[in-house]
Amino acid sequence: MLIEIQANAIATRTRILQMAAEQNALAASIDTGTGSEMIAIGTPLDPMVESLSGVLRIVTNHKAFAIASLDARGKSTVAVGDVVIGNGTPVIMAGPCSVEGRDALIAQAKLAQAAGAQILRGGAFKPRTSPYSFQGHGELGLQMLADAREATGMPVVTEVMEPDQVELVSGYADMLQVGSRNMANFNLLKACGRSSKPVLLKRGFSATLEEFLMSAEYIMAHGNPNVVLCERGIRTGDTAFRFNLDLNIVPGVQAVSHLPIIVDPSHGTGRRELVHRMALAGIAAGADGLAIEVHPDPDNALSDGAQTITPDALRHIVRRVHALSEVLAETEIEELGILEASA
Ligand code: PEP
Ligand code: MN
C-alpha cells in the first residue's frame, strides 16, 4: 500500500508507522519532490488511514517495486558529489575497469576528465570469473581513488562486493557500485540501503526488468532513495559478444519507474570497436548517462582490456553523445507525444 501524506503531518506519519509495526510490515518512504512524502507499507493497512489528517492519497494497485515506481513519484535525479544524474544532460562515468596504481590512476583520471568524463569509475574490489585473475587492490585501491578525486575534483564510483564492506567503501567513494553478479545479493542491497552514498545498481545479466527494479526497491526500502540503474548487457546464446546490450530496458524502465538509468556499452558488448555506436544507441534509447571503460593502453589493462577504449576515443564519443542529446532534446516535445500516443 502507498500512502501519500503532507510533509508536515508528523502525527499521522507516526501513526502510520505504528500501524505498520503492529503488523510487522516494513515501511519505507520517498520524498515525492512536490512537497509531500509517499510511504510504502509492506501490507495493506486499515482503509481508515485515508481519513487521517494530512493523508492526501492512498494507492493500492501499485507496482510491486512500490517506491521505485512512477506510482510513488515523478522522475528522480541523483546527485553524485556535484554531478546530477537524471536532469536531461547525459552524465559520463569513465575510467579503467580496475584501479591499477596511484600514479597511473591519477593520470588516467585526468585523461578521462579531459575527454569529457564527469565521474571517475574504477574497481578496487573486483568480482572476477577466475579466482586466478587480478582481484583488485582492495582498500589500497580505494585510497588511490580518493587521491584521484583530490587531484581532479571528479567524484568516484567503485564496486562494493559484501555487506561488511559497505561502511569501508562508503568512507572513500562518492557512489557505491553493486555489480551485475551481486544484483540479487539481498544482504548487500540492504546494507547499501543503510548507506548515505548513492548507489549504482548494475543489472544482473539474466535479470528481468521486474527483478532489476525489485533490487532497487530493496536499497530504497532500507532507507536510501538515491539509486541509479545501469544496463550492462545480458547473456544470450551468442558467442560473438561477451554480453548483449539490452536497450529495451531503458524505455521499459522509464515507463514504470522514476529512477535514472544509464548504459554501460563496455560490458554490454565486450568489444571495444562496438562501444562508440552502442554508447550513442544508449543515449538515443533515452539513457541518463553512460559508464565506459577507458585506459591509455587498453591492451595492457589489468582487466577487461578487450572492451576498453582509449581516452581519445572517449573524447569523440562524448562529443557525439552531447550533440545527439541536444538534437533529441530539441525535437522531444513535438515528437514524443505523437510517437507514444501511436504505441
Ligand atoms: C565493472 O564495472 O567493471 C564490472 C565488473 O561490471 P559488471 O558488474 O557489470 O560486470
Ligand atoms: Mn570491467
Side-chain angles (χ1 to χ4, degrees):
M1 176 181 254
L2 282 169
I3 307 167
E4 184 174 0
I5 62 167
Q6 283 168 357
N8 57 0
I10 313 289
T12 291
R13 185 178 202 279
T14 308
R15 178 82 193 100
I16 290 169
L17 297 185
Q18 250 169 15
M19 289 168 79
E22 280 157 18
Q23 304 215 37
N24 288 323
L26 182 63
S29 81
I30 189 163
D31 187 330
T32 63
T34 57
S36 62
E37 179 182 3
M38 189 64 93
I39 305 177
I41 311 285
T43 196
L45 298 182
D46 187 325
M48 58 71 60
V49 288
E50 193 156 15
S51 59
L52 295 176
S53 90
V55 170
L56 300 170
R57 188 163 71 102
I58 303 272
V59 187
T60 50
N61 63 342
H62 56 79
K63 298 275 189 304
F65 40 90
I67 49 175
S69 79
L70 285 173
D71 301 315
R73 57 159 292 153
K75 189 159 171 54
S76 297
T77 57
V78 172
V80 182
D82 57 7
V83 179
V84 178
I85 304 175
N87 68 0
T89 304
V91 167
I92 313 294
M93 303 181 184
C97 177
S98 298
V99 172
E100 300 180 350
R102 183 182 178 278
D103 294 347
L105 184 66
I106 291 175
Q108 290 160 2
K110 287 182 175 167
L111 288 168
Q113 187 173 40
Q118 296 142 283
I119 296 177
L120 176 66
R121 57 139 294 142
F125 293 100
K126 293 301 302 176
R128 302 306 302 281
T129 305
S130 166
Y132 304 110
S133 299
F134 176 57
Q135 304 286 309
H137 285 302
E139 187 169 359
L140 224 57
L142 297 177
Q143 185 57 57
M144 295 172 194
L145 282 162
D147 291 346
R149 172 181 50 219
E150 179 76 26
T152 59
M154 268 196 291
V156 300
V157 54
T158 195
E159 179 152 356
V160 56
M161 289 174 60
E162 294 168 27
D164 289 350
Q165 279 171 357
V166 170
E167 209 181 306
L168 174 74
V169 179
S170 297
Y172 291 93
D174 300 287
M175 181 178 222
L176 306 175
Q177 176 171 319
V178 173
S180 187
R181 291 157 189 80
N182 270 319
M183 187 208 81
N185 180 340
F186 300 116
N187 286 333
L188 178 61
L189 300 174
K190 288 182 195 174
C192 288
R194 292 187 286 268
S195 171
S196 60
K197 294 295 163 82
V199 179
L200 181 65
L201 177 66
K202 300 192 83 173
R203 181 185 182 189
F205 48 73
S206 56
T208 63
L209 181 150
E210 172 145 325
E211 288 164 344
F212 192 17
L213 286 168
M214 289 307 281
S215 288
E217 187 81 9
Y218 255 94
I219 299 169
M220 301 172 78
H222 286 84
N224 189 345
N226 296 311
V227 178
V228 175
L229 304 169
C230 179
E231 160 58 28
R232 50 77 69 210
I234 55 170
R235 254 290 127 80
T236 69
D238 195 338
T239 53
F241 311 101
R242 185 180 181 204
F243 296 100
N244 283 70
L245 203 57
D246 175 22
L247 293 179
N248 290 357
I249 200 92
V250 176
V253 157
Q254 288 168 346
V256 290
S257 173
H258 54 84
L259 295 177
I261 178 165
I262 69 164
V263 162
D264 169 354
S266 306
H267 294 86
T269 59
R271 290 167 48 181
R272 73 175 74 122
E273 72 278 17
L274 305 184
V275 167
H276 167 215
R277 280 195 272 176
M278 296 314 287
L280 291 172
I283 297 304
D288 296 295
L290 298 167
I292 299 182
E293 291 186 333
V294 184
H295 191 287
D297 183 8
D299 287 335
N300 288 305
L302 284 184
S303 55
D304 286 353
Q307 65 195 34
T308 298
I309 61 168
T310 61
D312 202 39
L314 179 67
R315 188 165 54 80
H316 289 288
I317 292 174
V318 172
R319 190 169 53 80
R320 301 195 79 202
V321 157
H322 289 308
L324 174 62
S325 166
E326 275 164 33
V327 171
L328 292 173
E330 277 163 23
T331 53
E332 185 175 50
I333 296 152
E334 44 197 287
E335 287 176 6
L336 261 192
I338 302 164
L339 294 173
E340 283 171 10
S342 68

